[in-house]
């Protein structure tokens, strides 16, 4: 099972130097994947949680590709309706080739109504637009003389049943975000059932979970996967491996933009996970 990290590419504490340090930390600690998120118009609904400056994901990952050598690079998640699919196909394929085949393209439908309005995109049609977008991207990539022959992994985000079914139809992996372990166990069963219903292969499971270490154990049904003592976090990772997860992305950001001014807390949490996880890596 591969372990990745969601890196904040936004907020008052984020600048090129901090992004460089995040990349060096993630790769230096031996993690497998570095991912960033996506917004284009930082409207009030976006800014509440993900304020400016916001570093566009393709631009940021292209720059980080030159700073790193091993770690894979990805989006968690690119909002598919925000770009023309041929632009996404071109940018993703170019980034993949320039980085030596390290891209993972995570995509989602989006949630910020004001941002959709600012971009002139109908919010109510975002599901259909995402389906059409993914089909068009894959069709473009079929021109291997132009786009290359490597199959770029597509992770489909979204915790809804519609997102799960979309992952079966159009993705290589399903990428649910910040859930409890009981929910993930039930969702893994649903994923297999949806694949059977659609007569399609079961996509890989690649969740993004919280990384919220605590000194005392956290109990209760609302405990997020990745929240609690290091023993609880490691047990969650073991349980996800047993569920068949091929990748897990750790997300230390808890929603307060002021956290971006203190990235050292995230780096320390990652160092603790790395120290416990890597000796058991197979």
């Amino acid at each position: 099972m591969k372990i990745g990290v969601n890196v904040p590419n936004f907020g008052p504490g984020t600048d090129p130097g901090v992004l460089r340090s995040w990349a060096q930390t993630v790769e230096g600690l031996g993690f497998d994947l570095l991912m960033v998120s996506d917004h284009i118009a930082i409207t009030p609904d976006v800014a509440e949680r993900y304020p400016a400056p916001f570093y566009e994901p393709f631009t940021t990952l292209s720059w980080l590709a030159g700073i790193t050598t091993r770690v894979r690079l990805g989006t968690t998640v690119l909002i598919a309706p925000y770009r023309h699919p041929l632009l996404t196909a071109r940018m993703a394929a170019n980034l993949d080739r320039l980085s030596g085949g390290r891209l993972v393209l995570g995509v989602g439908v989006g949630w910020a109504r004001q941002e959709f309005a600012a971009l002139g995109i109908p919010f109510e049609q975002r599901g259909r637009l995402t389906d059409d977008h993914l089909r068009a991207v894959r069709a473009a990539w079929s021109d291997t003389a132009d786009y290359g022959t490597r199959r770029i992994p597509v992770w489909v985000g979204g915790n809804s049943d519609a997102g799960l079914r979309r992952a079966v139809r159009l993705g290589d992996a399903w990428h649910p975000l910040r859930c409890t372990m009981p929910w993930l166990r039930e969702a893994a069963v649903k994923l297999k059932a949806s694949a059977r219903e659609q007569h399609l292969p079961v996509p890989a499971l690649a969740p993004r979970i919280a990384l919220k270490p605590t000194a005392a154990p956290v109990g209760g049904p609302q405990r997020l996967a990745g929240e609690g003592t290091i023993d609880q976090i490691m047990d969650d990772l073991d349980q996800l491996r047993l569920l068949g997860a091929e990748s897990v992305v750790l997300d230390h950001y808890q929603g307060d933009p002021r956290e971006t001014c203190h990235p050292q807390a995230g780096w320390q949490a990652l160092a603790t996970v790395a120290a416990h996880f890597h000796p058991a890596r197979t």
Side-chain angles (χ1 to χ4, degrees):
M1 187 173 74
K2 305 297 186 183
I3 305 294
V5 178
N6 180 38
V7 169
N9 54 320
F10 55 84
T14 299
D15 60 26
V18 171
L19 286 168
R20 178 192 297 271
S21 294
W22 269 106
Q24 292 170 337
T25 298
V26 170
E27 185 164 73
L29 289 172
F31 289 99
D32 302 291
L33 175 62
L34 181 161
M35 305 191 89
V36 297
S37 56
D38 180 34
H39 285 288
I40 293 177
I42 311 306
T43 48
D45 50 353
V46 174
E48 186 175 351
R49 286 178 61 89
Y50 310 109
F54 202 106
Y55 291 82
E56 193 277 332
F58 282 122
T59 308
T60 302
L61 292 175
S62 295
W63 180 61
L64 293 178
I67 295 172
T68 57
T69 59
R70 177 195 56 80
V71 71
R72 291 187 298 162
L73 307 161
T75 52
T76 177
V77 288
L78 193 81
I79 308 304
Y82 288 175
R83 296 167 181 81
H84 193 285
L86 293 182
L87 177 61
T88 298
R90 177 69 58 193
M91 294 177 77
N94 288 170
L95 173 54
D96 188 63
R97 297 187 77 176
L98 291 168
S99 67
R102 290 191 278 152
L103 181 65
V104 175
L105 184 66
V107 299
V109 301
W111 56 269
R113 285 180 176 271
Q114 293 173 1
E115 188 173 22
F116 272 82
L119 295 170
I121 301 165
F123 180 82
E124 293 75 12
Q125 297 180 34
R126 66 195 187 283
R128 179 186 61 78
L129 290 171
T130 298
D131 288 354
D132 292 345
H133 188 103
L134 289 172
R135 293 189 183 99
V137 167
R138 290 200 182 278
W141 286 346
S142 67
D143 181 359
T144 56
D146 188 1
Y147 289 94
T149 57
R150 192 183 95 89
R151 182 183 176 93
I152 299 171
V154 175
W155 293 6
V156 176
N159 293 16
S160 67
D161 288 346
L164 183 150
R165 292 192 298 270
R166 180 173 297 110
V168 173
R169 290 196 310 275
L170 298 167
D172 300 298
W174 181 42
H175 185 50
L177 311 180
R178 299 180 69 90
C179 339
T180 67
M181 282 303 306
W183 187 92
L184 276 165
R185 291 189 191 97
E186 293 181 5
V189 174
K190 284 185 178 181
L191 186 66
K192 293 176 182 177
S194 180
R196 286 196 302 269
E197 290 169 4
Q198 299 185 64
H199 305 288
L200 292 169
V202 181
L205 177 63
R208 189 177 95 197
I209 68 171
L211 176 57
K212 189 176 181 181
T214 61
V218 177
Q222 299 306 310
R223 183 185 76 86
L224 294 174
E227 180 182 11
T229 65
I230 187 59
D231 288 340
Q232 286 182 296
I233 294 169
M234 299 310 300
D235 183 65
D236 289 340
L237 292 175
D238 284 342
Q239 293 301 314
L240 287 167
R241 178 179 54 80
L242 292 172
L243 278 179
E246 294 188 3
S247 299
V248 177
V249 178
L250 303 175
D251 183 2
H252 187 262
Y253 182 64
Q254 306 302 322
D256 183 349
R258 291 173 295 183
E259 297 173 45
T260 62
C261 298
H262 307 284
Q264 296 83 0
W267 301 341
Q268 181 58 54
L270 291 173
T272 302
V273 171
H276 285 76
F277 184 77
H278 287 178
R281 177 177 285 180
T282 58

